Amino acid sequence: MARSKIKVLRIASITDDLVCDELHQSAPGSVTAGRDIDSQLLVFGPTMPGSHVLFELDKQGGYTLVLPPWSSGVLKLRGRAVRVADLWRKQSKDGPLRLALDPSARGKLVLGETALLFQFAPPAPVPPKVPFPEEYRARPFAGMSRIELSTLLSGVLLLGPWFLYASNSAVDPSFQHEVDERFLIVMGIPPKTEVLEPEKVEEDEQILAVEDEEKKKKEKEPEIVDKVISPSKAFSKEALSKARGVGVARVLGTYGGPGEGTVWDVIQSTENNLGELFAAGMTRVVDADGNEVSGFVPGGQGISALGAAVGTKGFDVSAAGPEVAGIDKKERKISLKGGPAEIDGDADKKAVSATIRNRMSALQSCYDKALRADAGLNGKITYTITISVMGTVTGVQVLDDSLQDEGVKGCTVAKIKGWRFPTTPGAEASSDVTFSVVFSGQ
């Protein structure tokens, strides 16, 4: 069959007297009808199938009409009109009604609520492929305004030289990147073991330690001068009386001048009854204006009745007063309560406990600072810290605080946040560690 004599189907779909769709084949082929969207012809009705081959193309290129039982209509075959209902009455076997169609066949088929008008016609030309619209072609700066382009150009001009310099700069060979140990384990690279070093004492703590040492040296017992220094000339009784008063004032640790309310005035008015003075609580030194100078310091250098300079050890007063002769200074330290800390998680218990013990010296300085204001301060603080898989402290919580000192509490929490713990291979989540610190004299 010549190409020019080939005829194909041309079908119009009518629903509610309106042409809803049209099919004009460009080449011979089977045609499907049904309710599914994949069907070439959409038909409507509750009894319509999802998809049905209505016009079947055989191997010789001829068309066969395959009518289902739920169809009706009128066909014109070889110049003669035939009703579909009459054809069904002549059908003697079950199954669909199959009719071979020649190029002159035409007709109207009613399928449910849709009517199909078909006939044969020359193939429709293949529609040309529409090119992609030129205005939608991708361009580098199509979606940017002039302001955005200006901003981009300014950034390139300002930062471009720096990026060029940085890309060509030599990398310091001693620089080491921090790599997650989980990545090293996957790659089969043994991670480096971190050697725990004692925490360095901060510069201000070193200065305070030096000052404390100097104070301890000054507070040591002075050497007693057994040799009496004889005066080179005689003194009047009035001078000796004043000298004795000055010596007693120095023994008490005050150098304030005369005035109402000073130690000098109290001594002169009470005939030097030191036992009653201490019993009344006179353990602080004030100047002539009533301002506090320093705490009571026993011992010092005095003057004998003959005006000689002698050394003193302090005073042994009555039981009613404080014991000031021979003060026993106790060293204040801190310690961990009970053995290892309580650990909830994948962290290595031995490594965590060892790290906490090595970091105890950092918390000692917080306690020493508070003792300068309150020498009788003691108690216990219980902490719960959260350690990440990288060994850093991500949270510190105080569970119990019998010390009741905000300065020590804030100082210790700040130092604990800076601790670093060894990482545990295979750890996948953070760990919670609970431990107690006892602040008391030993």
Side-chain angles (χ1 to χ4, degrees):
M1 185 180 292
R3 178 75 178 173
S4 59
K5 295 183 179 179
I6 294 177
K7 289 190 177 183
V8 296
L9 286 171
R10 184 174 183 179
I11 306 172
S13 175
I14 300 174
T15 302
D16 294 336
D17 297 330
L18 296 175
V19 178
C20 299
D21 195 6
E22 182 181 1
L23 173 65
H24 191 179
Q25 294 180 319
S26 300
S30 300
V31 178
T32 59
R35 291 182 291 105
D36 292 346
I37 190 122
D38 296 333
S39 301
Q40 293 174 285
L41 295 172
L42 288 176
V43 293
F44 303 95
T47 60
M48 297 297 101
S51 180
H52 172 73
V53 179
L54 187 61
F55 295 93
E56 185 179 61
L57 182 69
D58 56 24
K59 296 181 180 180
Q60 288 75 27
Y63 284 91
T64 301
L65 178 62
V66 183
L67 290 173
W70 32 265
S71 61
S72 62
V74 179
L75 303 177
K76 190 172 183 181
L77 304 174
R78 298 180 181 87
R80 188 165 59 90
V82 180
R83 295 177 58 190
V84 173
D86 297 337
L87 294 176
W88 273 112
R89 282 194 294 269
K90 295 179 182 180
Q91 177 79 359
S92 59
K93 59 182 180 179
D94 297 335
L97 179 64
R98 302 176 64 89
L99 297 174
L101 301 178
D102 59 12
S104 63
R106 64 179 61 187
K108 176 182 179 182
L109 299 175
V110 179
L111 305 178
E113 301 174 359
T114 305
L116 300 178
L117 301 179
F118 73 93
Q119 65 179 9
F120 287 89
V126 179
K129 186 176 180 180
V130 180
F132 193 80
E134 185 67 25
E135 58 270 19
Y136 297 111
R137 186 179 299 276
R139 292 191 295 267
F141 306 105
M144 301 181 68
S145 63
R146 292 184 178 180
I147 298 178
E148 292 171 337
L149 289 174
S150 302
T151 304
L152 178 62
L153 181 60
S154 301
V156 171
L157 294 177
L158 292 175
L159 300 178
W162 184 87
F163 282 110
L164 184 63
Y165 164 77
S167 61
N168 295 321
S169 299
V171 179
D172 186 1
S174 62
F175 177 75
Q176 294 183 355
H177 294 277
E178 291 187 3
V179 183
D180 193 334
E181 290 189 2
R182 292 176 294 180
F183 174 77
L184 296 178
I185 294 172
V186 172
M187 299 300 296
I189 303 174
K192 296 181 179 180
T193 57
E194 182 180 358
V195 180
L196 296 177
E197 298 180 357
E199 188 172 345
K200 296 182 179 180
V201 182
E202 299 179 0
E203 185 177 354
D204 57 343
E205 295 178 358
Q206 294 178 355
I207 296 174
L208 292 175
V210 173
E211 292 179 355
D212 290 341
E213 290 295 333
E214 293 178 354
K215 289 181 180 180
K216 291 179 181 179
K217 292 180 181 179
K218 292 180 181 180
E219 293 174 359
K220 289 182 178 179
E221 279 188 341
E223 297 180 1
I224 301 175
V225 181
D226 296 328
K227 182 180 179 181
V228 177
I229 303 175
S230 301
S232 58
K233 59 181 179 179
F235 295 92
S236 63
K237 293 182 178 181
E238 183 180 357
L240 291 175
S241 176
K242 290 183 178 180
R244 282 195 295 272
V246 172
V248 173
R250 287 184 177 179
V251 169
L252 291 176
T254 179
Y255 295 93
E260 183 178 358
T262 63
V263 175
W264 174 272
D265 178 59
V266 174
I267 292 174
Q268 295 297 326
S269 62
T270 57
E271 298 181 355
N272 298 347
N273 192 343
L274 298 180
E276 295 180 3
L277 292 177
F278 286 125
M282 191 195 73
T283 59
R284 309 295 291 179
V285 180
V286 295
D287 59 15
D289 297 328
N291 298 319
E292 185 176 276
V293 176
S294 66
F296 168 73
V297 180
Q301 189 178 29
I303 301 176
S304 68
L306 299 177
V310 296
T312 62
K313 290 185 178 180
F315 296 102
D316 293 327
V317 297
S318 62
E323 297 179 359
V324 296
I327 296 179
D328 183 16
K329 295 185 178 179
K330 294 183 179 180
E331 185 180 4
R332 298 283 184 165
K333 293 184 178 180
I334 63 177
S335 62
L336 274 175
K337 181 182 179 181
E342 298 179 3
I343 301 176
D344 182 14
D346 300 332
D348 189 346
K349 297 183 179 181
K350 292 184 179 179
V352 170
S353 299
T355 303
I356 294 176
R357 285 194 297 270
N358 292 337
R359 297 292 190 263
M360 279 296 105
S361 59
L363 306 185
Q364 179 71 49
S365 60
C366 300
Y367 186 44
D368 290 341
K369 292 178 183 179
L371 286 177
R372 297 190 186 99
D374 185 0
L377 183 65
N378 61 77
K380 181 184 74 173
I381 300 180
T382 302
Y383 307 89
T384 293
I385 64 177
T386 302
I387 304 174
S388 68
V389 295
M390 299 301 295
T392 57
V393 178
T394 58
V396 180
Q397 183 179 6
V398 176
L399 298 183
D400 185 25
D401 182 9
S402 62
L403 189 67
Q404 297 298 319
D405 187 282
E406 293 297 329
V408 176
K409 176 181 176 181
C411 178
T412 55
V413 169
K415 288 186 178 295
I416 292 174
K417 286 183 178 179
W419 288 359
R420 182 69 180 263
F421 291 83
T423 56
T424 303
E428 298 181 353
S430 301
S431 301
D432 293 332
V433 180
T434 301
F435 61 94
S436 299
V437 179
V438 179
F439 299 84
S440 64
Q442 292 183 348

